[in-house]
Each structure stands twice: as structure tokens, then as C-alpha cells.
Amino acid sequence: MTYDPEELGQSKTDLADTLKTLRKRVGITQTRLAQRCNMSQTKISNIEGAKLTPSLVDVELILRALDAPPELVAQVVALTRSANTEWQDVWSQRRTGLEKKQNELAGFEQSSTEFRYFLLSMVTGLLATPEYVRASLAHISGDHSKAIAKKLERQSILYDTSKHFTFILTEQAARWPFLPASAMAMQVDRLASISLLPNIRLGIIPLGGHMPVGPLNTFTVYDKRIATVETQTGAMVFRDHRDVRAYLDEFDTYEGYALFGDAARERLSDWAVLFRS
């Protein structure tokens, strides 16, 4: 399915209008539809008012209750998938303030308990040293002190033992010389130390051997409900269960190639030594 970034926001309103029109065409009230779908009338009202974006399961229940024809079901399902996808371009993020993006990520982290991070080319902010965090924003003009502070503040979530994290880093992500050698050694040391936390699994995929799959993007999956995928010019946020499932399956594949525990820490130690030398 092709997504046009300019149309993703509009699709939420279009979906709400379509479902409302279908209900009225059938000639039943929101209350009656809610009873047929085992939902509250308030939820139906919020969906039709575009205050709540329904999941694909919600929409399928509504379409079944309205006895929608198969050709219309396919159209509305496609619209639902678009409505559950969000494009966030980097230029808008910079205009509104980078700390706003940090607040959004903090919200995802507070509302989730199981996290999966696949890191293709860089270390994520949760694992980064202060030097690495500052360097990651240095190419953007302006004062980013608030965003930097928020990035570092977010790291406290790692010590919440009710939450469980799996980080998978390629060797490139761990070893890319983003900082001077001595600072990179400290960053690699931090990865090793964080891997000792009881609620964290940190895996390394070394460049060696045979791995017949090729990753294209860095991505994160929150529980089994949201996947965020990073590109050079922004990020896609997926909430459709099929999209999220695709990234969960991809993560499982890379997990099978990763080194964990003592094997990962031994490899990280070797890399830190190389930076120090």
C-alpha cells in the first residue's frame, strides 16, 4: 500500500465521515450500533467525530454490524490503515521544538511495558552518553538544551523494572565513530554496563558470518500496538496491527542473529579497547 504523507492526516477525518454516513444510510442510531458492536455509545460518537482513531478490529466490527458490501469493506479497511499511520517530518519537528518530540516518546514509554529497539546505524538516546546525545543534535541550528535535558531525563525509564527492553544493535551502530575515540570508548562501555540491568537484553549483530536478510531502517516496537520507523527525513508511526506485526517478525529475525549476555559484553569490551588504542 502506498502512503502519501500529505493525505495521512486527512484520512482520519475521511474515515470518520465515511463511517457516520454508512450508519445513517442504514438508518440506526449510535446507541443501536454500539450495542451491535459491544462498544459504548461514547466510543461510537468519538469515532464518528474524529476524536478517536478506530483500530482495524473496531472498523471491521462496525462494518459487519452495518452489513456493508464487500467492495466497500475493502475501501474502508484501506482508509483505516491510512488513518492509523502517521508521518512526522523532521522540518515540522524542528519548527515546533525538538523537546516536543521527546515528550511524545516519553508518552510512548510511560504507556508501554515491552520495548523492542532495532538500531541499524546509531545508538538510541536511551543508551547514549551525554556527549553522544549532544553530538546527535549538533548539526541542527539553535538552542537544544531542553531537548538534550529531556533525552537524558528519559533514560530513567531503563531502571523501571516493571518495563522490559530488548535492544539489538548492529556492529555499525555500536562502532560508528560519531565521537572522538576516547568518547566512543565510554559510549561502548555504557552499552556493556546497561546490558547488566535485569530488565534489559542488549544484543549485538557482528559484521561477520552469513546473514541472508538486510535491514533498511532503525525501528522501535512498543508492546504490540505501535511501531515507529525512522528515515533520513522523518519517521512513520504505524498503529495498524498488520504493520506492527511485520516489524515484530522482522525483529524476531534479527534477534536470532544477535549475541547477548556475556558474548555481547565480550565483543563490546574488544571494541572499547580498539577505540582506546
Side-chain angles (χ1 to χ4, degrees):
M1 181 176 181
T2 301
Y3 292 113
D4 182 342
E6 295 183 358
E7 295 179 356
L8 290 177
Q10 183 61 36
S11 63
K12 296 182 180 182
T13 301
D14 292 343
L15 177 61
D17 291 342
T18 298
L19 293 175
K20 183 176 181 179
T21 299
L22 285 174
R23 176 183 60 79
K24 289 188 172 182
R25 187 176 299 167
V26 173
I28 63 173
T29 64
Q30 288 183 347
T31 300
R32 181 59 181 154
L33 177 59
Q35 291 171 346
R36 290 184 180 182
C37 299
N38 197 27
M39 299 179 187
S40 68
Q41 184 273 330
T42 300
K43 182 173 183 177
I44 295 294
S45 177
N46 286 337
I47 289 172
E48 292 187 357
K51 297 178 181 178
L52 172 67
T53 302
S55 68
L56 184 60
V57 172
D58 290 334
V59 170
E60 287 174 341
L61 286 172
I62 290 172
L63 293 175
R64 193 176 301 120
L66 296 175
D67 197 23
E71 62 275 10
L72 185 57
V73 169
Q75 295 175 17
V76 178
V77 165
L79 191 59
T80 304
R81 197 171 184 189
S82 294
N84 278 277
T85 304
E86 180 183 353
W87 166 249
Q88 300 175 342
D89 67 86
V90 294
W91 300 281
S92 295
Q93 292 175 27
R94 293 173 187 177
R95 284 197 304 269
T96 59
L98 296 178
E99 65 274 14
K100 182 177 179 181
K101 177 62 176 180
Q102 295 304 308
N103 289 331
E104 179 190 44
L105 293 173
F108 286 164
E109 290 155 4
Q110 289 296 329
S111 63
S112 306
T113 58
E114 186 75 24
F115 304 83
R116 297 170 178 84
Y117 291 80
F118 177 75
L119 306 174
L120 175 61
S121 57
M122 287 183 64
V123 174
T124 186
L126 289 182
L127 303 177
T129 62
E131 291 80 6
Y132 200 103
V133 169
R134 284 192 288 270
S136 70
L137 299 178
H139 66 288
I140 305 172
S141 61
D143 178 10
H144 304 306
S145 55
K146 290 182 179 179
I148 291 170
K150 189 65 181 180
K151 271 182 175 261
L152 296 174
E153 178 187 323
R154 284 176 46 225
Q155 293 179 355
S156 63
I157 200 76
L158 297 175
Y159 303 94
D160 182 347
T161 55
S162 69
K163 299 180 184 292
H164 301 278
F165 299 82
T166 303
F167 297 95
I168 297 178
L169 297 87
T170 66
E171 181 174 340
Q172 174 177 307
R175 296 186 64 186
W176 187 266
F178 196 59
L179 300 172
S182 59
M184 280 303 304
M186 294 178 63
Q187 174 60 71
V188 174
D189 286 341
R190 174 169 167 77
L191 295 176
S193 63
I194 286 177
S195 73
L196 294 168
L197 293 175
N199 58 325
I200 290 177
R201 295 178 71 236
L202 190 145
I204 299 293
I205 299 179
L207 292 175
H210 177 229
M211 189 172 69
V213 288
L216 296 177
N217 300 93
T218 286
F219 63 88
T220 305
V221 182
Y222 300 88
D223 295 327
K224 296 181 180 179
R225 58 192 182 86
I226 298 173
T228 62
V229 182
E230 298 181 28
T231 72
Q232 183 66 25
T233 56
M236 296 288 286
V237 181
F238 295 99
R239 293 180 174 84
D240 185 278
H241 72 90
R242 292 171 297 183
D243 295 316
V244 176
R245 182 72 256 170
Y247 283 102
L248 284 170
D249 291 343
E250 186 174 353
F251 190 89
D252 289 345
T253 298
Y254 299 138
E255 194 170 8
Y257 290 98
L259 303 176
F260 289 92
D262 290 340
R265 285 186 285 273
E266 181 177 348
R267 192 64 61 99
L268 289 167
S269 177
D270 291 343
W271 295 341
V273 169
L274 287 173
F275 276 120
R276 290 192 169 93
S277 65

